[in-house]
Amino acid sequence: MPSDAPPPIPVTVFTGFLGAGKTSIILSLLPQLPKEYKVVLLKNEFGDVEVDSQLANQSSLTAVSEILNGCMCCVLVGQMKTALLEILENFHPDRIIIESSGSAFPATLAFQIRELERETHRALALDAIVTVIDAENFTGYEDTSVTARLQAQYTDMLLINKWEHVSPRALDEVLDHLYTLNELTPKIKCVNKCVDPSLIFGLDSKLFLHGKSPVDQDTSHHEEVETVTVHLAVQAQESTDRGHFHTDECGHGHLGTTFDASRQINEQDLHDALSSLSKESIYRVKGFVRFAEGWKILNWAFGRSELVPYSGPAKEGDVVRVTMMGERGEVRKLSKKFAEKLGAVVV
């Protein structure tokens, strides 16, 4: 790289199993940064519901890009590279944060970013792989998920999240597991889903500077998690109101459609439906739900739920649109029972 070239844009990758709290931690970093500091988030998620990008759009991020319906460490690798190059060209931020899906292999993500370093002559550079550990549930899914173990092994930093919800003895057990998987990597406890940016920015990762990725780019890990969408929409009806009569691009007049804007979900009904889920089989439920007071973003992980007010755009007619993620072979069956309690359907 020429001596007068600008410094590379650092790329920080957040990995961690479903529901570990990656989005919350990323958003907690932003208020701690200088106001003029530009951060772009590239988000990869299961399913087709753009939840986290809509939530992030309500933050101080310069821009948010989301890659859906697949894992960008393998089957969607081309999309990740394209998205990073577009971010570089269109925004030239101070930092790019990548939030991977819960099934992503950090090693392959790091290796692919290293390739982009060479291809862009270090216009982009890997700063760190940061893995978020769910202290409440890690010892449960570690035994069944190859991905969870690899995420803990191939990383520059381990952030211990949700440790406040477990006993000291249970936390010691989690730490014992992590030291067995990865003895030397620093392990930092998040406080109220928050961490000091100075601890994780500027690490200048040395992972995979040379040679091939140590992990075979097998896409079978993507099959660890099954996803379905639960949807409820009010029926569209033709309107004879002259105010709804409009013309299309060809100038032909036709009747418009209206939706019953009063249709909504009772919060107790949603709570009852969520309470019926098995956190051993359903790992995550996230999406949009319309209540009497307006739209909210639902975020449920391993039995804990959160509703965040949402004032952004919503698809007309929608009442419920959520993605459910969990154990393959169990999700569709359990999602149908959940949907029935809300009068919704699995699509």
Side-chain angles (χ1 to χ4, degrees), residues 146-164:
V146 173
T147 301
R149 293 193 293 275
L150 288 173
Q151 288 172 344
Q153 290 173 314
Y154 295 97
T155 184
D156 296 291
M157 178 73 68
L158 288 162
L159 295 182
I160 316 301
N161 199 25
K162 306 182 187 179
W163 60 271
E164 302 97 330

Side-chain angles (χ1 to χ4, degrees), residues 51 55 58 193 265-271 274 285-291 293-301 304-310 319 322 338:
V51 179
L55 184 62
Q58 300 180 160
K193 302 179 182 179
I265 292 296
N266 180 283
E267 195 160 329
Q268 185 60 49
D269 291 341
L270 176 64
H271 175 75
L274 291 171
V285 182
K286 59 195 304 186
F288 302 94
V289 183
R290 188 166 72 187
F291 299 95
E293 62 272 29
W295 284 98
K296 292 186 179 181
I297 293 176
L298 167 65
N299 196 339
W300 181 99
R304 292 186 180 273
S305 62
E306 180 182 35
L307 288 168
V308 178
Y310 172 68
V319 179
V322 301
F338 171 83

Side-chain angles (χ1 to χ4, degrees), residues 38-309:
K38 297 194 300 182
V39 178
V40 172
L41 173 65
L42 175 59
K43 176 81 173 70
N44 181 210
E45 188 55 279
F46 291 105
D48 58 359
V49 183
E50 296 183 359
V51 179
D52 290 330
S53 63
Q54 295 296 339
L55 184 62
N57 274 326
Q58 300 180 160
S59 72
S60 60
L61 285 163
T62 299
V64 180
S65 178
E66 190 157 40
I67 297 175
L68 301 173
N69 287 319
C71 183
M72 63 186 177
C73 80
C74 51
V75 294
L76 299 182
V77 59
Q79 291 188 34
M80 183 192 78
K81 287 189 172 183
T82 299
L84 286 173
L85 291 173
E86 288 177 351
I87 290 170
L88 174 64
E89 180 179 356
N90 296 332
F91 300 102
H92 206 84
D94 295 296
R95 180 174 300 273
I96 298 172
I97 292 178
I98 296 177
E99 182 183 347
S100 70
S101 74
S103 72
F105 280 178
T108 50
L109 288 175
F111 184 69
Q112 289 152 16
I113 295 170
R114 292 297 190 199
E115 287 184 329
L116 270 181
E117 282 188 27
R118 294 187 288 272
E119 293 168 11
T120 63
H121 305 288
R122 280 186 61 80
L124 298 170
L126 177 65
D127 185 25
I129 301 287
V130 178
T131 300
V132 180
I133 299 296
D134 177 354
E136 236 183 335
N137 299 290
F138 181 74
T139 54
Y141 57 65
E142 177 207 359
D143 292 335
T144 58
S145 173
V146 173
T147 301
R149 293 193 293 275
L150 288 173
Q151 288 172 344
Q153 290 173 314
Y154 295 97
T155 184
D156 296 291
M157 178 73 68
L158 288 162
L159 295 182
I160 316 301
N161 199 25
K162 306 182 187 179
W163 60 271
E164 302 97 330
H165 301 312
V166 303
S167 67
R169 181 176 179 179
L171 179 58
D172 286 342
E173 184 180 356
V174 171
L175 292 172
D176 286 345
H177 282 245
L178 293 175
Y179 274 103
T180 300
L181 291 169
N182 193 334
E183 182 179 4
L184 299 178
T185 296
K187 300 161 187 67
I188 296 175
K189 291 193 292 186
C190 301
V191 179
N192 296 323
K193 302 179 182 179
C194 188
V195 65
D196 186 337
S198 65
L199 296 175
I200 56 177
F201 289 167
L203 294 182
D204 191 21
S205 175
K206 298 301 185 288
L207 291 173
F208 319 122
L209 275 172
H210 309 286
K212 295 183 179 181
S213 169
V215 179
D216 184 17
Q217 294 189 19
D218 178 12
T219 63
S220 62
H221 70 281
H222 185 62
E223 301 300 315
E224 279 188 5
V225 178
E226 181 181 4
T227 66
V228 300
T229 297
V230 172
H231 185 221
L232 171 62
V234 294
Q235 185 69 36
Q237 295 181 341
E238 287 189 350
S239 172
T240 56
D241 187 336
R242 292 185 63 184
H244 289 88
F245 188 83
H246 59 280
T247 57
D248 58 24
E249 293 179 350
C250 299
H252 301 300
H254 57 279
L255 295 174
T257 57
T258 60
F259 295 90
D260 180 7
S262 66
R263 183 68 184 272
Q264 60 207 23
I265 292 296
N266 180 283
E267 195 160 329
Q268 185 60 49
D269 291 341
L270 176 64
H271 175 75
D272 292 343
L274 291 171
S275 298
S276 69
L277 296 176
S278 164
K279 71 175 187 178
E280 284 74 31
S281 298
I282 301 293
Y283 309 146
R284 195 83 187 272
V285 182
K286 59 195 304 186
F288 302 94
V289 183
R290 188 166 72 187
F291 299 95
E293 62 272 29
W295 284 98
K296 292 186 179 181
I297 293 176
L298 167 65
N299 196 339
W300 181 99
F302 295 100
R304 292 186 180 273
S305 62
E306 180 182 35
L307 288 168
V308 178

Side-chain angles (χ1 to χ4, degrees), residues 22-42:
K22 299 184 291 294
T23 303
S24 296
I25 290 174
I26 291 170
L27 294 181
S28 78
L29 292 167
L30 303 178
Q32 304 178 67
L33 300 173
K35 289 184 178 180
E36 66 275 10
Y37 195 85
K38 297 194 300 182
V39 178
V40 172
L41 173 65
L42 175 59

